[in-house]
Amino acid sequence: MTATTMTDRKNAAISRGVGMTTQIYADRAENAEIWDKDGRRYIDFAAGIAVLNTGHRHPRVIAAVKAQLDRFTHTCHQVVPYENYVELAERLNELAPGNFAKKTIFVTTGAEAVENAVKIARAATGRSAIIAFGGGFHGRTFMGMALTGKVVPYKVGFGPMPGDVFHAPFPVPMHGVTVEQSLAALKKLFAADVDPQRVAAIIIEPVQGEGGFYPAPTAFMTALREICDQNGILLIADEVQTGFARTGKMFAMDHHTVAPDLMTMAKSLAGGFPLAAVTGRAEIMDAPGPGGLGGTYGGSPIGIAAAHAVLDVIADENLCDRANLLGNRLKQRLESLRETISEIIDIRGPGFMNAVELNDAVTKLPSAEFANRVRLIALEKGLILLTCGVHGNVIRFLAPITIQDDVFGEALDILEASLLEAHTSR
């Protein structure tokens, strides 16, 4: 069956609200490669949007899942609990940044983790207001949409958002917003819109994901921690996209000297199986009463088993070090093209959470058109890329950290050829 036929079936059967980046229909996948229904091979630099840091079907993840399938698939932890849930919570409590006692809950999606972090923060502080940042992305549930700092396509047509959510500008010096200006805007927010004594939490991605892969400067994260401590506000780090070795450390917050009070995780936590978590200070995590947190599928034993294997793989295969190695190779290749490809205005990102930002060569304005042209040319050549950014002019790179060296080299060659072709054909 051809991709065209499948697309016709999809259009007839599935809501158009479920957008599709490609018209590839996956048939099988292994590590950093996907084969479609027509037998064509692609190198995957999307990894299910940062879900597959350990690659498609890592043997240890698959073995762990198969072993769990032979025992039980679901009991609902709130009804009949199981040991691997407790053990994974213990491991995350140990791994999460912060030299204090921690506790963890498991849910199913990143958006659900964010929702629960907000619930916990409100229960712990007795306050209601939440501050997020422009360009941030926190999910497609209503609270997730309210926190997200981008209107199109996430908020369009869905009516009023939940109240008591405020936004401050995220510091991106290359776009004219310095750390000092972001902090001044936050101070102005406290003076004009919301009493800081009414703010339960400030939520931030240590590296913005959908917003454009902009890392939060250490000076900004340190200042946020001080502001939170001065005003009794909790700091929530959204590590849904940044976690599990992607940035060259287990968590992106490990690049800073301060720790969050609460941290949300999902995506690569379970190597392709639905699992998310909130980890935080023990006394804060205990603020909600029994039954206030949870969910029927929260902490699926299948996802829990996969997550244990993921943590083992990250440690045993030194994936934090490998993320730094791969990211450096990618950035070096892109840097070598700067003089030739005038559309390149920035190359950035810690570890293997990298991006290239592209402007129109003539107008010098953000060019979603050029970024998309590169993406489509690369796709035709067999490389799957994703774009992001408030202006859609950023290409982000999220290949599995386990990608084989020869496949990675092949992907870099395709990327270079695609950028050159897009540049010369403008």
Side-chain angles (χ1 to χ4, degrees), residues 5 11 99-100 107 117 140 146 150 159 237 259 264 321 372 385 420:
T5 303
N11 290 340
N99 186 24
F100 44 78
V107 287
R140 290 180 173 86
K150 183 178 178 181
T264 60
D321 290 342
N372 195 51
L385 298 174
L420 289 168

Side-chain angles (χ1 to χ4, degrees), residues 1-15 18-29 33-42 56 379 384:
M1 182 167 292
T2 66
T4 301
T5 303
M6 283 298 299
T7 299
D8 290 341
R9 290 173 58 193
K10 184 272 296 183
N11 290 340
I14 297 174
S15 167
V18 181
M20 289 174 54
T21 302
T22 76
Q23 298 299 315
I24 298 168
Y25 287 85
D27 183 58
R28 61 188 178 91
E33 298 166 281
I34 294 176
W35 287 263
D36 70 8
K37 299 290 289 185
D38 298 323
R40 185 173 179 190
R41 167 185 172 267
Y42 295 86
H56 292 275
L379 186 64
I384 300 171

Side-chain angles (χ1 to χ4, degrees), residues 45 52 54 89 91 120 141 201 224 276 339 411:
F45 261 43
L52 299 161
T54 52
R91 295 181 74 175
I120 293 165
T141 56
L224 283 185
E339 290 189 9

Side-chain angles (χ1 to χ4, degrees), residues 220-242:
F220 186 67
M221 199 65 76
T222 301
L224 283 185
R225 180 71 273 174
E226 292 173 356
I227 290 168
C228 288
D229 291 342
Q230 290 166 3
N231 294 283
I233 298 169
L234 301 183
L235 182 61
I236 303 173
D238 184 338
E239 293 255 12
V240 168
Q241 190 162 166
T242 55

Side-chain angles (χ1 to χ4, degrees), residues 145-296:
M145 286 191 293
L147 295 170
T148 291
K150 183 178 178 181
V151 172
V152 179
Y154 306 116
K155 301 183 183 184
V156 174
F158 295 119
M161 297 292 115
D164 252 3
V165 173
F166 302 86
H167 287 87
F170 189 88
V172 184
M174 70 172 293
H175 289 301
V177 183
T178 65
V179 168
E180 293 74 22
Q181 288 171 324
S182 288
L183 293 174
L186 196 57
K187 185 176 181 180
K188 183 177 180 181
L189 190 68
F190 288 153
D193 293 304
V194 60
D195 180 354
Q197 300 304 310
R198 201 165 60 76
V199 178
I202 295 175
I203 186 168
I204 185 170
E205 296 169 283
V207 182
Q208 286 200 328
E210 300 292 323
F213 276 36
Y214 299 107
T218 291
F220 186 67
M221 199 65 76
T222 301
L224 283 185
R225 180 71 273 174
E226 292 173 356
I227 290 168
C228 288
D229 291 342
Q230 290 166 3
N231 294 283
I233 298 169
L234 301 183
L235 182 61
I236 303 173
D238 184 338
E239 293 255 12
V240 168
Q241 190 162 166
T242 55
F244 304 100
R246 174 54 58 182
T247 66
K249 293 184 181 290
M250 182 61 76
F251 299 108
M253 286 302 298
D254 291 328
H255 291 276
H256 304 288
T257 57
V258 297
D261 300 295
L262 297 167
M263 192 164 74
T264 60
M265 296 161 272
K267 289 190 181 290
S268 276
L269 169 58
F273 292 87
L275 186 70
V278 183
T279 296
R281 292 179 181 272
E283 68 275 15
I284 292 171
M285 294 294 293
D286 277 345
L293 304 175
T296 302

